[in-house]
Amino acid sequence: MNINLDSRIRILIDSPLNHEGEFVLYWMTAQRRVTWNPALEHAADLAEELGRPLLVVEPFSSGYSYASDRLVTFVAQGMLDNRQSFDGTGVRYIPWIETHRERGAGLLRRFSERACVVVIDDFPTGHPRYVMERAEKTLSTRLLAIDGCGVIPMSWTDKAPPLAHTFRRVVQRTVLEAITNGPKPNPLDSRSSVLWMQDEQYNSLIQDLRFEMTPLEWLWRVAEGGKTGKEALEPLPIDHQVQPVVDRRGGSIEANRLLEVFINSRLDSYSDGRNNPSDSSTSRLSPWLHFGHISSLEVVHRVLKECQWDPSMTSEKVTGSRFGWWGLGEAPESFLDQIITWRDLGFHFAYHRPDYASIESIPEWAQMTLSNHANDPRSTYTFQELENANTHDEIWNAAQRELRETGIIHNYLRMLWGKRILEWAPDPVTASDWMVSLNDRWALDGRDPNSYTGIFWVLGRHDRAWGPERPIFGKVRFMSSANTARKLDLQGYLNQFGNGDMDSIEG
Ligand SMILES: Cc1cc2nc3c(=O)[nH]c(=O)nc-3n(C[C@H](O)[C@H](O)[C@H](O)COP(=O)(O)OP(=O)(O)OC[C@H]3O[C@@H](n4cnc5c(N)ncnc54)[C@H](O)[C@@H]3O)c2cc1C
């Protein structure tokens, strides 16, 4: 028995396996990759046990929250990589993008009625969560949700961790088990030929279900981007104002290339350089992690291998401290803390707290102090002014332009971006709604558990009270553009995304 894999499985519909079923179905909604994918691994195990083919469907619905040209292009690029990765594995893979509203209605149900068992990704936020919960309500076939989200399985906590420090202790207690006994890097290696659905069976299934394939040629056009991609996407009922990002190609191939670059030339300077927008020391992997094009478990394994780490180097004591536990240098330890403690914290929090995207999820002290200061006088902007990067603060405008143009904001400036929205929105509830709307609409890595970790951190989640008590912020940690300008070298950043004018920065 693999405790690690077993604890990633949740039975959502506990009906018996359908032995009359024709295949095992994996509905790939979040972990959009072949490698290090426990849902794919378990679905393949089940198919072998049952002696049935495995069918993998990777859907993207036009009803996906904030579906836009940007998101569809990134996902389509990933689908082309997945096609290549499934090629030769002996498993049928169907990428599917909903091109007309409602064409996908009931699609999973129709497939499920012919399946022995359905496997779906367990994901705690956004559209993948919605699809999973809807499947639980509407299907009758046995349904398993499998957690391929992070390093520490979400079932290993029994409540939402309040602080990174608390969660780091869980990580230190459990991470060796999680990384040494985790999902397989290549779950389809050495599988039985039974997994392949023969052409005759496949064609008649597709016909019976009246399933309209997404034409490969159309996927290629979308993935190409530019004018060709725009024309291909035009008929879709999605947000066309949010354009694809030119230099961020979705998919596992690009994710692995970025990981190589990070390990070979950025990791060493990660702890000193990660806060500086003019220094490119971070991995930039968050969009690919969000769409499951790469697994954080794989990233961790690759970093540990590069550092020639072995389990005997770790401290025997659970300290909860950020440095020293792994027995590595400051840079890799600082990166591991972000990608394990901070990243998984968001998943575990959202897993236990359905109100993860609401201001009610912030701690009591933060709710109280923000509400005490909710009527403090403030100069406000409208949502449109913020969305259009039209404020008097050029650092903030640059961060918002970066978000609109590149689908992400630099690490440190993302915190400042949020803090100023708290200052400029009419009240804290509106501030949190605006942050969520702007981030989820424009960010490639939005709609993720970490979107809400970051946004609600701005309002005090996973943080402590700070002094002195200030207008609007109360005891919530304060940040200003003037301090940021003093602390960081922003010239290069402002040349790229601002008007280059350092005088238009306000404290
Ligand atoms: C207001 C605000 C909004 C944010 N929105 C998002 C979001 O939509 N999606 C998102 O993934 N992250 C979000 N973050 C967290 C963080 O800013 C990004 O994860 C990070 O900047 C991504 O860059 P990177 O991949 O180069 O990170 P690296 O520094 O290379 O770190 C590697 C990975 O670790 C994780 N990570 C790093 N820092 C954090 C952090 N502070 N909290 C949680 N996980 C972290 C991410 O998965 C990241 O990709 C937000 C933070 C704030 C303050």
Side-chain angles (χ1 to χ4, degrees):
M1 186 172 81
N2 181 337
I3 314 171
N4 192 334
L5 196 56
D6 283 357
S7 49
R8 290 178 183 271
I9 303 172
R10 277 200 298 150
I11 303 171
L12 297 188
I13 299 180
D14 196 7
S15 40
L17 286 167
N18 172 15
H19 288 279
E20 307 298 307
E22 298 158 41
F23 53 87
V24 169
L25 178 65
Y26 170 29
W27 205 253
M28 183 192 260
T29 53
Q31 309 310 329
R32 299 171 180 269
R33 62 175 182 272
V34 172
T35 53
W36 301 84
N37 184 337
L40 180 59
E41 181 178 335
H42 192 61
D45 288 347
L46 287 168
E48 275 184 338
E49 272 165 46
L50 292 162
R52 295 290 201 290
L54 170 61
L55 209 55
V56 179
V57 180
E58 183 184 349
F60 190 90
S61 144
S62 58
Y64 196 99
S65 337
Y66 298 97
S68 61
D69 286 14
R70 178 167 295 176
L71 300 194
V72 175
T73 302
F74 200 82
V75 167
Q77 290 163 339
M79 287 174 169
L80 291 177
D81 287 4
N82 283 341
R83 242 186 115 253
Q84 204 174 314
S85 305
F86 273 100
D87 206 22
T89 60
V91 170
R92 292 262 187 199
Y93 162 73
I94 308 177
W96 185 78
I97 293 180
E98 185 179 36
T99 47
H100 296 77
R101 182 90 68 207
E102 299 301 324
R103 197 162 275 180
L107 189 62
L108 170 55
R109 194 179 36 74
R110 279 186 275 144
F111 269 95
S112 74
E113 283 164 358
R114 307 278 289 258
C116 305
V117 51
V118 178
V119 168
I120 195 165
D121 288 318
D122 195 350
F123 197 83
T125 61
H127 201 76
R129 179 178 181 143
Y130 165 79
V131 174
M132 176 181 74
E133 290 179 346
R134 220 181 127 62
E136 186 179 9
K137 286 193 194 113
T138 55
L139 306 192
S140 49
T141 312
R142 185 173 180 78
L143 176 66
L144 308 176
I146 302 196
D147 162 17
C149 295
V151 176
I152 311 293
M154 294 185 289
S155 68
W156 285 6
T157 47
D158 50 19
K159 59 178 191 306
L163 295 168
H165 178 77
T166 334
F167 186 61
R168 200 173 287 113
R169 296 178 73 87
V170 176
V171 170
Q172 293 177 354
R173 267 200 306 274
T174 58
V175 71
L176 295 187
E177 166 63 24
I179 59 180
T180 49
N181 202 10
K184 290 181 184 149
N186 295 300
L188 298 182
D189 273 5
S190 317
R191 291 289 182 175
S192 140
S193 59
V194 79
L195 294 192
W196 181 250
M197 186 182 277
Q198 298 301 329
D199 287 352
E200 202 180 322
Q201 186 186 2
Y202 181 67
N203 293 335
S204 86
L205 176 75
I206 297 301
Q207 213 171 15
D208 289 356
L209 297 180
R210 287 176 289 114
F211 177 64
E212 284 185 49
M213 293 279 188
T214 300
L216 184 56
E217 176 271 340
W218 181 82
L219 266 188
W220 278 107
R221 285 197 289 131
V222 171
E224 190 178 318
K227 193 165 167 281
T228 309
K230 193 174 158 55
E231 279 168 12
L233 288 169
E234 228 149 48
L236 268 63
I238 56 173
D239 182 347
H240 296 294
Q241 278 177 3
V242 181
Q243 299 276 307
V245 175
V246 179
D247 61 353
R248 287 198 161 89
R249 187 184 168 88
S252 300
I253 295 175
E254 179 63 4
N256 277 286
R257 189 191 70 77
L258 282 173
L259 178 58
E260 276 311 304
V261 171
F262 174 67
I263 287 179
N264 294 329
S265 52
R266 296 189 178 148
L267 178 58
D268 286 348
S269 54
Y270 184 78
S271 47
D272 298 330
R274 67 182 286 266
N275 280 338
N276 195 342
S278 306
D279 180 324
S280 42
S281 301
T282 69
S283 72
R284 300 164 183 203
L285 280 170
S286 58
W288 290 266
L289 286 165
H290 169 66
F291 282 106
H293 291 159
I294 192 164
S295 149
S296 62
L297 203 54
E298 173 172 12
V299 176
V300 168
H301 272 272
R302 298 268 291 275
V303 167
L304 291 174
K305 188 166 173 232
E306 177 68 16
C307 298
Q308 300 181 332
W309 172 87
D310 75 71
S312 70
M313 291 160 75
T314 50
S315 159
E316 278 172 15
K317 267 212 210 123
V318 167
T319 57
S321 65
R322 270 191 303 149
F323 296 111
W325 187 81
W326 289 94
L328 297 167
E330 192 176 331
E333 293 215 352
S334 149
F335 179 73
L336 291 172
D337 195 53
Q338 295 303 324
I339 196 151
I340 306 178
T341 308
W342 277 98
R343 182 170 186 277
D344 280 9
L345 175 66
F347 282 86
H348 285 252
F349 191 92
Y351 182 74
H352 294 292
R353 293 282 301 256
D355 62 353
Y356 61 82
S358 140
I359 199 161
E360 265 131 52
S361 66
I362 66 174
E364 236 174 81
W365 69 263
Q367 296 201 30
M368 205 175 306
T369 195
L370 287 173
S371 112
N372 288 344
H373 289 270
N375 296 323
D376 289 355
R378 61 196 79 202
S379 34
T380 58
Y381 286 107
T382 63
F383 180 79
Q384 281 67 30
E385 283 168 326
L386 295 181
E387 187 159 45
N388 294 328
N390 196 8
T391 77
H392 66 286
D393 177 347
E394 204 38 41
I395 298 182
W396 194 90
N397 291 344
Q400 175 64 16
R401 277 189 214 113
E402 183 188 13
L403 178 63
R404 291 181 65 119
E405 287 166 29
T406 73
I408 197 145
I409 306 180
H410 178 273
N411 220 6
Y412 189 91
L413 294 174
R414 221 164 183 169
M415 298 189 263
L416 178 71
W417 174 87
K419 293 286 181 185
R420 297 234 73 179
I421 295 178
L422 170 59
E423 219 176 319
W424 294 332
D427 56 74
V429 176
T430 310
S432 70
D433 290 348
W434 285 3
M435 279 189 272
V436 169
S437 299
L438 291 173
N439 194 70
D440 280 357
R441 181 179 187 210
W442 294 96
L444 270 172
D445 61 6
R447 310 150 308 278
D448 191 85
N450 284 311
S451 315
Y452 311 110
T453 303
I455 287 166
F456 290 97
W457 172 87
V458 165
L459 304 174
R461 190 200 279 176
H462 307 311
D463 206 0
R464 63 172 171 87
W466 291 76
E469 192 159 347
R470 293 172 185 269
I472 303 172
F473 285 79
K475 294 179 189 158
V476 165
R477 188 196 296 245
F478 174 73
M479 283 174 80
S480 78
S481 297
N483 281 345
T484 306
R486 267 193 294 277
K487 195 168 159 180
L488 306 177
D489 171 10
L490 290 174
Q491 197 59 64
Y493 185 75
L494 292 176
N495 287 344
Q496 193 176 357
F497 297 109
N499 61 10
D501 177 9
M502 296 293 284
D503 293 336
S504 55
I505 291 163
E506 187 243 7

